[in-house]
């Protein structure tokens, strides 16, 4: 009998009876005293099973505390169940696209059944924990599942990908490296065999995915970080530049406590304003974050980024010039 099977049988025997003697366990499984000692130690120390040796009975028995319950392979107290339910609720709310809902639901139902009449019900936890997603895009559960399976199985993928910038649809063969949840959306970092380069794909833009039999090509984590995580946000590039931004004294109260990038450098100025330096490669996402602060954020350097912001502001102003002159919009 395999060890895992023996563990299950010991658990069943202890759960069904008041106590089980060491000799009975040795005889039942035809193993030595040392083996039973190791099994009991594993159940107690690794799986958290509340098993004790009762000297008066001369046998092993369960001494489960009030409020404890069991999942396959682990014993949980009521507080631990509450914590798991809270984490499950957090995950469910973070996963605004719903692609993990089916995987999480069985665990949630099992936890609710185990919790019973606890001090905090699952409904109360769901009511009290709320995460509001900003701009999640709908992700196809089937595509996500295929991508995740190939990623963990280390198999290549054939994907039909629709690029939003060009609206072009291409078929790519890629080696998946890692899934990234960023700003309420999922991205796949992968080696693109079609382009012979590392790329980051929005999972919601993958129209169809098929797992191939070919093993995936592995890229070192250090190389992934160097090319895909060195700059700002999800947009990657080979050349890393540094931006220097200055925020108004009013906006500094918020920005000074924010982390825009792990390598950022910031300082409060004597007049209350705040300067922030951070690396970036491609600039689309950084531009969006700069522009959302309007007149409270000024780009000091590099000049190319400053001119990009000025150009976008001029284009925006041009859109509203007619409205300012008394004209109305329309087709």
């Amino acid at each position: 009998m395999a060890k895992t099977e023996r563990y299950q049988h010991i658990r069943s025997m202890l759960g069904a009876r008041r106590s089980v003697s060491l000799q009975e366990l040795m005889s039942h499984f035809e193993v030595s005293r040392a083996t039973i000692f190791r099994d009991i130690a594993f159940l107690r120390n690794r799986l958290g099973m509340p098993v004790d040796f009762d000297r008066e009975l001369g046998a092993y028995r369960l001494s489960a505390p009030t409020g404890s319950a069991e999942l396959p392979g682990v014993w949980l107290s009521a507080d631990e169940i509450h914590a798991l339910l809270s984490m499950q609720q957090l995950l469910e709310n973070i996963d605004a696209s719903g692609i993990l809902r089916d995987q999480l639901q069985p665990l949630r139902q099992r936890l609710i059944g185990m919790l019973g009449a606890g001090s905090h019900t699952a409904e109360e936890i769901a009511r009290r924990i709320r995460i509001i997603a900003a701009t999640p895009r709908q992700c196809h559960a089937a595509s996500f599942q295929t991508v995740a399976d190939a990623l963990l199985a280390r198999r290549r993928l054939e994907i039909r990908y629709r690029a939003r910038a060009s609206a072009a649809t291409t078929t790519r063969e890629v080696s998946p490296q890692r899934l990234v949840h960023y700003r309420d959306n999922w991205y796949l970092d992968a080696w693109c065999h079609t382009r012979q380069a590392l790329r980051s794909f929005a999972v919601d833009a993958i129209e169809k995915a098929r797992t191939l039999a070919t093993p995936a090509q592995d890229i070192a984590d250090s190389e992934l970080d160097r090319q895909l995580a060195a700059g700002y946000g999800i947009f990657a590039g080979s050349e890393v530049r540094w931006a220097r931004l200055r925020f108004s004294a009013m906006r500094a109260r918020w920005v000074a406590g924010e982390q825009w990038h792990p390598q950022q450098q910031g300082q409060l100025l004597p007049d209350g304003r705040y300067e922030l330096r951070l690396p970036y490669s491609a600039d689309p996402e950084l531009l969006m974050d700069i522009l959302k602060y309007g007149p409270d954020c000024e780009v000091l350097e590099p000049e190319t980024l400053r001119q990009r912001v000025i150009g976008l502001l001029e284009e925006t102003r041009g859109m509203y010039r007619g409205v300012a002159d008394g004209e109305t919009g329309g087709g």
Side-chain angles (χ1 to χ4, degrees), residues 13 16 19 22 51-52 59 64 82 87 134 165 197 200-201 226 232 274 289 299 306 320 326 331:
M13 291 174 69
S19 63
L22 173 61
V51 54
D52 292 329
H82 288 140
M87 288 188 291
S200 186
F201 300 95
R226 188 184 72 81
Y232 181 80
Y274 181 73
D289 284 339
V299 177
R306 182 180 176 89
Y320 292 98

Side-chain angles (χ1 to χ4, degrees), residues 30-43:
E30 299 181 348
V31 295
S32 67
R33 176 191 300 262
T35 298
I36 295 299
F37 285 163
R38 286 194 297 268
D39 289 350
I40 294 296
F42 182 88
L43 290 169

Side-chain angles (χ1 to χ4, degrees), residues 20-29 31 33 36 58 60:
V20 182
S21 70
L22 173 61
Q23 190 61 45
E24 189 175 357
L25 290 171
M26 293 169 55
S27 175
H28 181 83
F29 296 110
V31 295
R33 176 191 300 262
I36 295 299
Y60 290 102

